[in-house]
Amino acid sequence: MPNQKTLSIIKPDAVKAGHANAINLMIENAGLKILKKKELNLTTEQAKEFYSIHSDKPFYNELCNFMTSGPIIVQMLEGENAIELYRKVMGATNPDDAEENTIRKKFATSIQENAVHGSDSEENALKELNFFF
Ligand code: CMP
């Protein structure tokens, strides 16, 4: 797999709980480089747009409320096979299904408050990176 870039978000639950540094250590230990990073608060409009792919889901409004509930940290990651590698490091969306030693197993508290986000394809990585950087 070629060198890739992907978007990482440390979500409000994990920022609030002070897990950002521990999460970034796991990311770097996996061999991913954090090229860019910024802390910000999403507006409701931004959250709705970012997650518009989920607008028909029953959890959409709650998800947007959660994502605007406090600061998030958005990051550009780079590395060999970065998209898939970072998704492995994150673990399954639902922490109950996440493998040991993944970010979500360690830090997620529910399927919604699941500590981190990562792009799921090259197309979405491009879109999501352009959204923030
Ligand atoms: P993320 O990887 O950011 O992509 C969409 C987000 O929606 C997901 O992480 C969770 O935060 C949230 N989500 C996904 N499924 C559910 C669900 N069944 N109930 C509540 N929130 C969900």
Side-chain angles (χ1 to χ4, degrees):
M1 262 293 166
N3 203 51
Q4 283 181 331
K5 292 187 177 70
T6 191
L7 181 83
S8 154
I9 301 180
I10 304 179
K11 296 186 180 181
D13 57 328
V15 174
K16 222 172 278 174
H19 295 318
N21 288 342
I23 288 171
N24 279 343
L25 258 183
M26 290 175 76
I27 288 172
E28 288 173 327
N29 284 341
L32 291 161
K33 218 169 147 182
I34 301 167
L35 287 189
K36 294 184 184 181
K37 163 166 143 169
K38 60 184 177 186
E39 183 164 332
L40 55 95
N41 286 277
L42 278 181
T43 64
T44 300
E45 288 66 34
Q46 284 174 314
K48 284 188 166 166
E49 191 186 338
F50 185 81
Y51 278 119
S52 59
I53 193 167
H54 294 302
S55 60
D56 58 343
K57 307 270 168 58
F59 57 81
Y60 179 60
N61 280 336
E62 224 187 303
L63 173 62
C64 293
N65 286 339
F66 164 56
M67 290 301 292
T68 56
S69 68
I72 61 170
I73 298 173
V74 295
Q75 311 185 122
M76 179 188 287
L77 308 184
E78 184 188 54
E80 189 111 333
N81 203 16
I83 296 170
E84 198 186 318
L85 177 56
Y86 177 50
R87 290 182 71 78
K88 258 201 189 130
V89 177
M90 286 195 299
T93 304
N94 186 342
D96 290 342
D97 302 330
E99 286 182 33
E100 294 298 329
N101 296 316
T102 59
I103 294 170
R104 285 169 170 159
K105 182 73 178 184
K106 285 192 172 170
F107 301 120
T109 51
S110 70
I111 192 168
Q112 177 173 266
E113 304 210 356
N114 62 354
V116 283
H117 167 83
S119 311
D120 64 0
S121 65
E122 281 194 79
E123 188 190 343
N124 284 336
L126 259 182
K127 264 193 216 160
E128 293 180 0
L129 286 167
N130 281 333
F131 189 90
F132 288 111
F133 295 105

